Amino acid sequence: MKLTVVGGGSTYTPELVDGFARLRDTLPLTELVLTDPAADRLELIGALARRIFAKQGHPARIVTTADLDRAVDGADAVLLQLRVGGQAARRQDETWPLECGCVGQETTGAGGLAKALRTVPVVLGIADRVRRANPGAWIIDFTNPVGIVTRALLQAGHRAVGLCNVAIGFQRKFAALLDVAPTEIHLDHVGLNHLTWETGVRLGGPEGEDVLPGLLARHGETIATDLHLPRTLLDRLGVVPSYYLRYFYAHDEVVRELRTKPSRAAEVAEMEQQLLTLYADPALDEKPELLSRRGGAYYSEAAVDLTAALLTGAGSPYQVVNTLNDGTLPFLPDDAVIEVQAAVDRKGATPLPVPAVDPLHAGLMAAVTAYEDLALQAALHGGRERVFRALLSHPLVGQYAYAEELTTLLLAHNREHLAWA
């Protein structure tokens, strides 16, 4: 079994490699290919990956190459974890929207749109090369904004599933609070990527007892503190929103905070330099503790589980993924990409039935879905007017003067990455 990681030079990669090594019975790899145009980082991380596999006794061969066509040739699955423009572009995404009093964030709002515009054409180009090399390969997208990128892939006819670590993070957190194994936790998880709610927490599977009310009663303060939201809001909602909902529920508060501290991109860039220094140590043969602060918690477990289910039918029978709505949520278009529990096997992901969604959540989902459609059109076809329309439609922008100014700023900061600009 051959798996290719596009963006293999990422500092995330040792987390992924560690998961492949530990969970080799679930995903029996024979070859792992790391590909990245950054040759220096690729060789550094490839060497660490080999040491991790060797320490844990994994027999698979690890190959590094900057040649994308060679990397994807014969691959059973291709995992995408790339960042067009690197941390420098992310730093811009998180700062220039603040000039208009709008949240600066890399996956939502104006910054998220900028990332989508840079990313979608590149991902589609990679996917076309995967399809030419191996039409049967699965593409697993971890590249943000996952919902828009996955929608682009599916719309172009690729065999693709989107993956995010928010759900598995909640699963592990709730399991710890309830003192049960994570496999005992089944989430009623509904929404769009980075716009989701846990509307139920079931023990044992989809038909299990919903323990969310008791979980909120006993541990609501802990959960609210982790989300940086007031406990009273969780009690009133009766659900657990993802931490990305704070950008919507406390927008102005977040903007004030972001204006008074270094950007997350600046923090991550500094952390990445420390990680690369650690990775260069030839004695290091495990992922360092610092990597846990980089983000992407439980990323490797989620990736192994999904890849195993798609390639072998093993792994968890139900997983939270990003896939086509196809009637699951009747208030959204069929071609929208939603993030829900799905049955995953070699044929792909089939969403499980979802109970009626509270209008409070459904309305926001519908608005952001409309934005994602406009954002995708802008990414595919370009044009200032398409960018303006996408920004005007976004609930975190919504005013024409802001949308106009943000359009100007977005184009100024991203011109080198947008061929049409």
Side-chain angles (χ1 to χ4, degrees):
M1 180 185 297
K2 176 179 176 179
L3 178 65
T4 298
V5 180
V6 178
S10 167
T11 53
Y12 270 134
T13 300
E15 162 73 25
L16 188 63
V17 170
D18 176 74
F20 291 149
R22 287 185 295 101
L23 302 171
R24 57 183 174 273
D25 291 339
T26 302
L27 189 65
L29 290 179
T30 55
E31 183 176 357
L32 175 63
V33 182
L34 308 178
T35 185
D36 199 294
D40 52 344
R41 287 177 57 142
L42 182 61
E43 291 309 313
L44 184 70
I45 290 170
L48 173 57
R50 293 185 186 98
R51 296 194 297 270
I52 291 173
F53 266 32
K55 180 180 182 180
Q56 300 198 34
H58 198 301
R61 182 171 70 125
I62 294 179
V63 176
T64 57
T65 177
D67 185 335
L68 179 63
D69 293 321
R70 177 190 169 200
V72 302
D73 185 33
D76 297 288
V78 177
L79 196 152
L80 306 180
Q81 57 168 33
L82 58 146
R83 182 183 294 279
V84 179
Q87 293 298 330
R90 176 180 180 174
R91 184 182 289 119
Q92 292 179 351
D93 294 344
E94 293 178 348
T95 52
W96 54 262
L98 297 174
E99 297 177 27
C100 298
C102 295
V103 70
Q105 212 279 331
E106 65 158 342
T107 64
T108 192
L113 176 61
K115 193 171 195 300
L117 296 181
R118 295 193 303 269
T119 304
V120 166
V122 173
V123 165
L124 289 178
I126 293 169
D128 285 342
R129 291 164 76 172
V130 172
R131 181 158 52 191
R132 286 196 297 270
N134 185 8
W138 280 103
I139 295 176
I140 298 171
D141 179 59
F142 197 73
T143 297
N144 282 319
V146 168
I148 295 173
V149 173
T150 302
R151 189 172 183 178
L153 288 165
L154 292 171
Q155 184 172 291
H158 297 288
R159 302 184 80 208
V161 180
L163 179 64
C164 180
N165 69 322
V166 166
I168 195 173
F170 275 130
Q171 181 200 45
R172 300 304 174 89
K173 184 184 300 292
F174 296 159
L177 291 173
L178 295 169
D179 195 24
V180 300
T183 53
E184 288 297 303
I185 298 294
H186 178 94
L187 300 175
D188 289 346
H189 178 103
V190 64
L192 313 177
N193 181 242
H194 289 184
L195 192 85
T196 53
W197 296 262
E198 311 307 325
T199 61
V201 178
R202 301 185 181 276
L203 294 181
E207 305 302 323
E209 176 191 3
D210 182 10
V211 298
L212 178 59
L215 185 67
L216 285 173
R218 292 190 300 274
H219 302 288
E221 195 65 42
T222 297
I223 296 169
T225 299
D226 287 346
L227 297 173
H228 299 286
L229 290 170
R231 163 72 184 272
T232 52
L233 177 62
L234 267 62
D235 290 339
R236 295 172 74 177
L237 294 175
V239 301
V240 179
S242 84
Y243 44 84
Y244 289 95
L245 264 299
R246 187 167 184 257
Y247 298 118
F248 295 82
Y249 292 161
H251 176 273
D252 293 354
E253 179 183 336
V254 172
V255 168
R256 288 193 294 271
E257 291 175 2
L258 293 175
R259 283 173 161 170
T260 58
K261 66 178 185 180
S263 68
R264 173 62 178 165
E267 295 175 357
V268 169
E270 181 179 349
M271 197 179 305
E272 285 199 332
Q273 290 308 308
Q274 298 174 34
L275 284 169
L276 291 170
T277 299
L278 291 173
Y279 294 168
D281 181 356
L284 183 68
D285 57 7
E286 61 185 13
K287 64 177 183 179
E289 189 281 330
L290 178 63
L291 186 54
S292 65
R293 292 163 44 201
R294 171 65 178 82
Y298 310 116
Y299 161 39
S300 61
E301 284 88 343
V304 168
D305 213 14
L306 177 56
T307 307
L310 291 172
L311 297 185
T312 71
S316 303
Y318 306 116
Q319 300 181 37
V320 174
V321 298
N322 285 262
T323 192
L324 284 177
N325 177 40
D326 198 19
T328 305
L329 300 177
F331 54 88
L332 297 182
D334 285 349
D335 65 351
V337 165
I338 60 175
E339 186 172 294
V340 293
Q341 287 278 5
V344 184
D345 56 23
R346 292 183 181 90
K347 297 178 181 178
T350 303
L352 300 183
V354 175
V357 178
D358 188 316
L360 181 64
H361 316 323
L364 186 53
M365 289 169 61
V368 175
T369 295
Y371 151 76
E372 289 189 346
D373 181 59
L374 292 169
L376 182 54
Q377 294 308 308
L380 292 174
H381 306 294
R384 182 186 177 94
E385 188 63 18
R386 291 190 179 93
V387 174
F388 171 79
R389 285 169 57 82
L391 287 167
L392 186 62
S393 73
H394 201 293
L396 297 183
V397 180
Q399 298 184 52
Y400 75 87
Y402 288 169
E404 189 64 45
E405 185 174 356
L406 287 168
T407 299
T408 298
L409 289 168
L410 186 156
L411 295 178
H413 285 284
N414 290 276
R415 202 170 302 279
E416 66 179 294
H417 300 293
L418 306 177
W420 52 268

